[in-house]
Amino acid sequence: MTDSAGSGSGSGSSSATGRTVFLVAHTGRPAAIRSAELVVKGLLRSGLGVRVFAHEAADLPLPPEVELVTESTPGVIDGCELLIVLGGDGTLLRGAEFARATGVPMLGVNLGRVGFLAEAERDDLDKVVDRVVTREYEVEERMTLDVAVHTNGDVVHRDWALNEAAVQKVSPERMLEVVLEIDGRPVTGFGCDGIVCATPTGSTAYAFSAGGPVVWPEVEALLMVPISAHALFAKPLVTSPDSVLAVEVQSGTPHGVLWCDGRRMLELPSGARVEVRRGAVPVRLARLHHASFTDRLVAKFALPVSGWRGAPH
């Protein structure tokens, strides 16, 4: 689902245009420091305001006009029309937490290795600034997951994920015994290293590494992918976006752990039940290109396509 960039604009701080952009950067990367300096100067020259976390600004050579904020709560993005994130997948997922909480679109610039969430590469920074200034971008909504953890029949924790919610073993010498359920009906049980419940966006992340299918972003579906399962029937499952997926950690098995997007962790005692469903709140991504996901897939994984002639004319 897309809409025009103009609908995401809000009142800025003290910028000449009344427009403000929030910048998040992985300041531990020298490339991010150089990129942040280029982006900030380009936006300021065009009259846009720039807002940055104070703890990140300490590592960045930024002009005094940049607005600094000390808190790391979603409210600091109020009034910003866009969130620009410079970094690898981890930094982009950190930015997604603010994007989801506020509804502000996120534009990612990949400074890491693969960066499927990113819309641009470090060589595109001039284009990024130009497109932001002229509002030449579209906004696309990506499905998220809502996650609920039950113990003894009570919900003890709620979380969310853009890529995946993964139930994993803790002890390297012991498998995690689980039973999988879809829409209130048991499917199968086995010992494994874990289970990944993913969105189409997350199909190219952890689920891909575990042997799951690549799902195009416009496909609305949920994925359930076993990790190193000791079973004959342990195939990736693709369900309706309205399905409810559940992973039950069997009693008597060592405790497990829940990871949401590899960022937020919760220990799961034996007998815990993790329910995953389509998230009520999407993450909005700013898009600069109209390139198909197929082309993105080929480029990101450097897939061999030599010899392709295309459909006959």
Side-chain angles (χ1 to χ4, degrees):
M1 179 179 179
T2 60
D3 56 28
S4 64
S7 63
S9 64
S11 59
S13 51
S14 56
S15 68
T17 61
R19 301 170 60 198
T20 302
V21 172
F22 203 103
L23 181 74
V24 172
H26 186 332
T27 56
R29 295 174 180 264
I33 295 175
R34 293 191 297 271
S35 299
E37 183 179 16
L38 190 154
V39 170
V40 168
K41 289 182 177 179
L43 293 173
L44 291 175
R45 277 197 304 269
S46 299
L48 275 68
V50 179
R51 195 178 300 170
V52 178
F53 289 119
H55 65 273
E56 292 182 359
D59 298 322
L60 300 173
L62 299 179
E65 307 97 285
V66 173
E67 180 185 356
L68 305 183
V69 293
T70 56
E71 296 183 4
S72 293
T73 60
V76 298
I77 301 184
D78 287 350
C80 295
E81 70 174 63
L82 195 65
L83 171 65
I84 298 179
V85 182
L86 308 174
D89 289 334
T91 309
L92 292 168
L93 287 169
R94 178 162 65 96
E97 295 177 358
F98 290 94
R100 173 183 175 271
T102 61
V104 173
M106 179 179 79
L107 196 161
V109 178
N110 179 39
L111 302 180
R113 194 166 58 89
V114 180
F116 262 98
L117 285 173
E119 179 61 11
E121 304 294 325
R122 71 184 70 188
D123 295 336
D124 299 329
L125 289 175
D126 288 337
K127 181 189 295 183
V128 168
V129 172
D130 290 343
R131 294 289 188 87
V132 171
V133 170
T134 58
R135 287 197 176 104
E136 289 185 68
Y137 59 86
E138 294 183 344
V139 178
E140 176 181 293
E141 290 189 350
R142 289 292 183 91
M143 181 193 301
T144 59
L145 302 175
D146 283 341
V147 184
V149 179
H150 301 249
T151 59
N152 300 319
D154 297 324
V155 177
V156 296
H157 181 76
R158 294 190 183 275
D159 213 317
W160 75 282
L162 173 60
N163 277 346
E164 76 280 314
V167 176
Q168 297 176 265
K169 70 177 187 179
V170 175
S171 303
E173 72 281 3
R174 296 280 302 277
M175 288 189 295
L176 190 68
E177 297 289 338
V178 299
V179 173
L180 309 185
E181 173 193 300
I182 295 178
D183 295 331
R185 304 303 303 162
V187 176
T188 186
F190 42 63
C192 60
D193 284 357
I195 301 291
V196 178
C197 298
T199 63
T201 298
S203 72
T204 50
Y206 196 174
F208 175 83
S209 299
V214 174
V215 181
W216 267 235
E218 59 267 26
V219 176
E220 295 194 338
L222 299 176
L223 286 72
M224 183 177 269
V225 183
I227 307 171
S228 302
H230 193 70
L232 289 176
F233 183 82
K235 300 297 183 182
L237 304 176
V238 180
T239 74
S240 158
D242 299 320
S243 289
V244 178
L245 314 183
V247 180
E248 293 187 349
V249 180
Q250 293 291 78
S251 300
T253 190
H255 72 281
V257 64
L258 168 69
W259 281 99
C260 290
D261 282 339
R263 291 186 48 78
R264 301 176 300 280
M265 184 269 287
L266 177 74
E267 288 194 2
L268 300 172
S270 297
R273 173 186 174 87
V274 178
E275 290 186 353
V276 177
R277 65 189 72 213
R278 179 179 189 158
V281 181
V283 168
R284 306 175 74 219
L285 300 181
R287 290 300 188 200
L288 306 180
H289 308 286
H290 293 286
S292 70
F293 180 74
T294 305
D295 292 339
R296 183 185 294 265
L297 190 71
V298 169
K300 292 291 185 181
F301 288 128
L303 300 178
V305 293
S306 59
W308 177 74
R309 294 185 299 275
H313 297 290

